Amino acid sequence: DTEVTQTPKHLVMGMTNKKSLKCEQHMGHRAMYWYKQKAKKPPELMFVYSYEKLSINESVPSRFSPECPNSSLLNLHLHALQPEDSALYLCASSQWIGEKLFFGSGTQLSVL
Amino acid sequence: KNQVEQSPQSLIILEGKNCTLQCNYTVSPFSNLRWYKQDTGRGPVSLTIMTFSENTKSNGRYTATLDADTKQSSLHITASQLSDSASYICVVSAGGGATNKLIFGTGTLLAVQP
């Protein structure tokens, strides 16, 4: 199994809503990532987890809250988002930090 | 400052033609360079990895080159197909181990027309 599965594929939420994005991999990878991608731009790193511990937080606003319940799962909790947070949110995993990334298909998020 | 720049920003070619995408980097210390293909609305998929000692590597119709002296890489696509239409992203890995950092290029948007 070489897949990274993300749910939901699409999400529309209001600025007062609370929602969560989910990511799952069963490749035994010990590094997991959240990226944000705006249209026609490369992915921007948000968070990196290594061995289920938060390793990198790229100064992401607190309205985004990551969680790594176990080595296969990665969540991104969303609260009080702004319209400018609308983007494609990509989850990725790699065997260790810096190794080849395996990306999920992403969650297309629209904040109204 | 670690940077990865790609050119051209966008490219339109006819089906069956060849094309070459460029990636210039100023990253230190260099660990490796990967080319990713990203279809619209999907996550990027790795095409090739180039390490310091490698000059050329092929993956089907994709051939990547690396010149570590000039800090340039290219991705050559042969006999293009409509399914090659995508964004191609060059990603350079800096450092190693726990300090490893991935630097993403700006991407080249390729459109293959019939």
Side-chain angles (χ1 to χ4, degrees):
Chain A
D1 184 359
T2 58
E3 274 196 357
V4 175
T5 304
Q6 286 188 246
T7 56
K9 291 196 183 307
H10 303 275
L11 180 62
V12 179
M13 59 186 290
M15 290 189 284
T16 58
N17 291 156
K18 285 186 183 181
K19 296 286 184 184
S20 296
L21 309 185
K22 297 187 183 299
C23 175
E24 191 168 0
Q25 57 88 14
H26 296 287
M27 294 177 278
H29 289 174
R30 304 317 299 261
M32 296 187 77
Y33 310 73
W34 280 114
Y35 284 88
K36 174 184 177 180
Q37 187 176 27
K38 290 283 208 178
K40 300 184 180 180
K41 298 286 188 184
E44 293 177 10
L45 183 65
M46 300 174 72
F47 303 103
V48 182
Y49 273 81
S50 178
Y51 289 86
E52 300 157 51
K53 290 189 175 4
L54 184 62
S55 178
I56 297 174
N57 176 344
E58 291 286 351
S59 302
V60 179
S62 59
R63 57 186 184 268
F64 295 91
S65 175
E67 178 196 19
C68 189
N70 60 54
S71 59
S72 300
L73 294 174
L74 186 66
N75 299 324
L76 185 63
H77 303 298
L78 315 173
H79 175 53
L81 294 194
Q82 304 296 310
E84 59 264 29
D85 296 322
S86 299
L88 180 68
Y89 287 84
L90 292 164
C91 173
S93 71
S94 62
Q95 192 160 20
W96 297 289
I97 289 181
E99 293 294 310
K100 174 181 169 181
L101 293 171
F102 290 77
F103 283 90
S105 294
T107 294
Q108 187 64 55
L109 174 67
S110 296
V111 182
L112 305 178
Chain B
K1 181 183 174 186
N2 288 328
Q3 268 189 317
V4 178
E5 294 185 351
Q6 293 184 241
S7 62
Q9 272 192 329
S10 61
L11 182 61
I12 301 174
I13 61 173
L14 293 176
E15 187 178 11
K17 298 296 186 184
N18 305 335
C19 67
T20 300
L21 315 180
Q22 299 289 347
C23 173
N24 297 337
Y25 61 91
T26 52
V27 172
S28 182
F30 175 88
S31 179
N32 60 61
L33 181 151
R34 285 188 171 91
W35 284 93
Y36 286 83
K37 177 188 178 189
Q38 185 174 21
D39 293 312
T40 302
R42 308 282 296 180
V45 174
S46 176
L47 293 174
T48 67
I49 175 175
M50 305 293 293
T51 57
F52 189 84
S53 58
E54 293 175 308
N55 299 118
T56 302
K57 186 175 283 187
S58 292
N59 177 5
R61 295 180 296 102
Y62 300 104
T63 299
T65 65
L66 177 67
D67 186 333
D69 293 329
T70 61
K71 300 187 177 183
Q72 295 180 325
S73 176
S74 66
L75 181 69
H76 186 75
I77 304 175
T78 304
S80 60
Q81 300 176 357
L82 298 178
S83 59
D84 293 330
S85 296
S87 182
Y88 291 83
I89 306 171
C90 174
V91 182
V92 181
S93 180
T99 63
N100 199 299
K101 195 173 176 72
L102 297 175
I103 317 298
F104 279 68
T106 48
T108 291
L109 184 61
L110 174 65
V112 180
Q113 295 185 341

